[in-house]
Amino acid sequence: MKKKLNPYAGAMAPYTLWAALFILVPLAFIAYYAFTDNDFRFTTEHFVRFFTAKSTITEGGVDREVYTYLLIFWRSLKLAIISTAICLLLGYPVAYIMSRAQEQTQKLLMTLIMIPMWMNFLIRTYAWMTILQDKGIFNNLIGLLNLGPVHIIGTETAVIIGMVYDYFPYMVLPLYSIMAKMDEKLLEAARDLGCGSLSVLRRVVFPLSLPGVISGITMVLIPSISTFYISQKLGNGKFFLIGDAIEGQYVANNLHFAAAMAFILMVILLAAMTLVKYITTRYVYGGEQ
């Protein structure tokens, strides 16, 4: 008996070729550089350096020794989680309101969310530098209320604001695409059975929107962890994120150590995504694929 050919194989061929050339091949080069030294001999010293390198920092007039790159990674992860949580808290109600609005209103709101993405990433970041400077637009506005200047630029708060602004659409769009497909009859049935607005949201809307929540979290968390330009400009270069560390090693021509850090970050992110998929499959979809 002849095996049936996949009717979509031809249509998938261009994407398969693109993925091989621009995803698998670069990843293979990263792995090759990560596990070799400057003479391209096998080594794991770069990974050892990442987990064991130490430096001395001063806090409150007291010097203490810390693991340099683990501290940088922890800071990157912390800011990324905070930014992702804020995007979710703000994006979820926005996506829900959009999905329940009239068609023309949905198009208008979608356009407003997408407009910032039409501008260059660098320009958007520079705009926030102007807004958050000590003598910038924000401080001028609160000065009119006699609230005094607030120092934001050069802090973690400024970096979080930049991340939320730049990656907010990546949270809203997956949520909206899921919520817009929800059957309105399910919501009406829940109300007919005595559910209030909050109960409908908790028992019907949120469970059905979980795929969008997971997609949104993934699409915001990953670029937030690896970003470097936002931290450089809005953080005034006062603290490093893992993206800054990788870029710094690349600029210094330490390509092998830069590749090792990128490889470690990639493995951690893939492991996290696999864990999220496992939890989702087992506890959200009841083991169904």
Side-chain angles (χ1 to χ4, degrees), residues 96 100 184 186-197 200:
Y96 181 76
R100 301 299 104 186
E184 185 67 30
L186 294 175
L187 307 184
E188 294 176 357
R191 296 189 186 98
D192 291 341
L193 292 173
C195 288
S197 298
V200 170

Side-chain angles (χ1 to χ4, degrees), residues 104-181:
Q104 291 299 323
T105 304
Q106 290 185 28
K107 293 180 180 179
L108 175 61
L109 294 174
M110 180 64 69
T111 301
L112 293 175
I113 291 174
M114 294 294 294
I115 282 177
M117 299 181 68
W118 299 347
M119 294 184 291
N120 186 275
F121 181 84
L122 306 183
I123 295 175
R124 299 202 304 267
T125 305
Y126 269 108
W128 274 106
M129 289 176 62
T130 304
I131 294 172
L132 299 178
Q133 285 176 354
D134 291 342
K135 296 183 179 180
I137 297 174
F138 177 76
N139 276 310
N140 288 336
L141 289 176
I142 65 173
L144 297 176
L145 302 175
N146 296 321
L147 296 178
V150 178
H151 179 68
I152 301 177
I153 196 74
T155 66
E156 291 184 352
T157 301
V159 176
I160 291 172
I161 290 173
M163 287 181 180
V164 171
Y165 176 77
D166 283 315
Y167 302 128
F168 181 72
Y170 299 115
M171 179 65 73
V172 174
L173 297 180
L175 287 169
Y176 167 74
S177 66
I178 294 294
M179 292 180 178
K181 298 175 184 177

Side-chain angles (χ1 to χ4, degrees), residues 201-212:
L201 179 64
R202 180 172 61 87
R203 295 175 178 270
V204 181
V205 176
F206 185 72
L208 292 177
S209 66
L210 273 178

